[in-house]
């Protein structure tokens, strides 16, 4: 009896290792090719000389809002429908447009609370690189990108919390905003 039990345990162990290996492969297939370098296509860099509230007419880029504080952070400007990924001093921030959700967070400072590689959004759309940072009216608020690449205006009759961005921008957000990262929401 002992010999057959050890054979069953060995078989179950081998099956479990195979399953873990398969899941690891699937997870790695969804990771951006280069986590260290931001994507070249999604963002426009803002120069330190730009005014905090206006566009730089020569580059068409917006400067990081002055009221967003200092340090490494994600800045989400509700009125501009724009996000900045602000790194270490000396690094140029990345900025890109977003499509706000129907439920918006109030201005303030938050921390990334959780992340998901791929899920179905509250609007039924398949999304990836979900970076959540708060809850408002029982709705989870976070950044994400639709797998199909769309940034559709959400149905105003539905409470949604997904701040959508292009896939390349979602990749940059995923690499930048890990759990605990600072998120500053400005008007």
């Amino acid at each position: 009896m002992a010999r057959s039990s050890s054979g069953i345990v060995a078989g179950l162990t081998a099956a479990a290792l195979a399953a873990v290996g398969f899941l690891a492969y699937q997870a790695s297939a969804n990771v951006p090719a280069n986590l260290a370098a931001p994507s070249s296509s999604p963002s426009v860099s803002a120069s330190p000389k730009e005014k905090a509230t206006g566009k730089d007419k020569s580059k068409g880029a917006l400067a990081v809002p002055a009221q967003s504080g200092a340090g490494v952070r994600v800045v989400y400007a509700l009125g501009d429908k724009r996000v900045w990924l602000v790194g270490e001093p000396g690094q140029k921030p990345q900025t890109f447009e977003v499509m706000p959700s129907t439920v918006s967070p109030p201005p303030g400072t938050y921390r990334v609370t959780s992340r998901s590689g791929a899920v179905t959004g509250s609007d039924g759309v398949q999304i990836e690189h979900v970076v959540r940072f708060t809850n408002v009216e029982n709705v989870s608020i976070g950044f994400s990108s639709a797998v199909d690449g769309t940034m559709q205006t959400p149905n105003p009759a539905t409470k949604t919390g997904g701040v959508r961005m292009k896939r390349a921008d979602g990749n940059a957000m995923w690499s930048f905003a890990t759990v605990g990262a600072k998120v500053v929401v400005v008007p």
Side-chain angles (χ1 to χ4, degrees):
M1 196 88 161
R3 283 185 178 249
S4 64
S5 294
S6 63
I8 291 171
V9 171
L12 289 174
T13 301
L17 289 173
V20 168
F22 175 74
L23 292 173
Y25 169 77
Q26 279 188 319
S28 69
N30 289 322
V31 174
N34 185 352
L35 291 176
S39 175
S40 59
S41 62
S43 303
V44 178
S45 295
S47 116
K49 295 179 184 176
E50 294 169 5
K51 294 181 182 176
T53 58
K55 286 189 177 184
D56 176 343
K57 306 259 189 259
S58 66
K59 295 182 182 177
L62 291 173
V64 177
Q67 71 271 30
S68 70
V72 176
R73 65 201 183 281
V74 175
V75 178
Y76 175 29
L78 298 168
D80 289 332
K81 299 180 183 177
R82 181 167 289 277
V83 166
W84 289 261
L85 305 179
V86 182
E88 297 293 334
Q91 292 179 334
K92 288 187 177 183
Q94 287 183 269
T95 184
F96 43 86
E97 292 180 308
V98 296
M99 177 58 64
S101 55
T102 60
V103 178
S104 294
T109 301
Y110 304 89
R111 294 282 175 184
V112 172
T113 56
S114 68
R115 299 171 10 127
S116 296
V119 297
T120 301
S122 55
D123 57 359
V125 174
Q126 292 297 311
I127 57 176
E128 63 184 0
H129 298 148
V130 181
V131 176
R132 296 176 200 88
F133 61 94
T134 194
N135 286 295
V136 175
E137 300 173 21
N138 294 319
V139 176
S140 182
I141 308 294
F143 304 108
S144 64
S145 55
V147 172
D148 67 6
T150 61
M151 285 181 33
Q152 296 177 345
T153 302
N155 178 351
T158 306
K159 283 187 174 184
T160 60
V163 180
R164 297 284 165 79
M165 56 195 64
K166 294 177 183 170
R167 286 188 85 184
D169 296 330
N171 290 342
M173 175 69 75
W174 182 257
S175 298
F176 187 87
T178 57
V179 172
K182 187 194 309 188
V183 178
V184 180
V185 178
V186 297

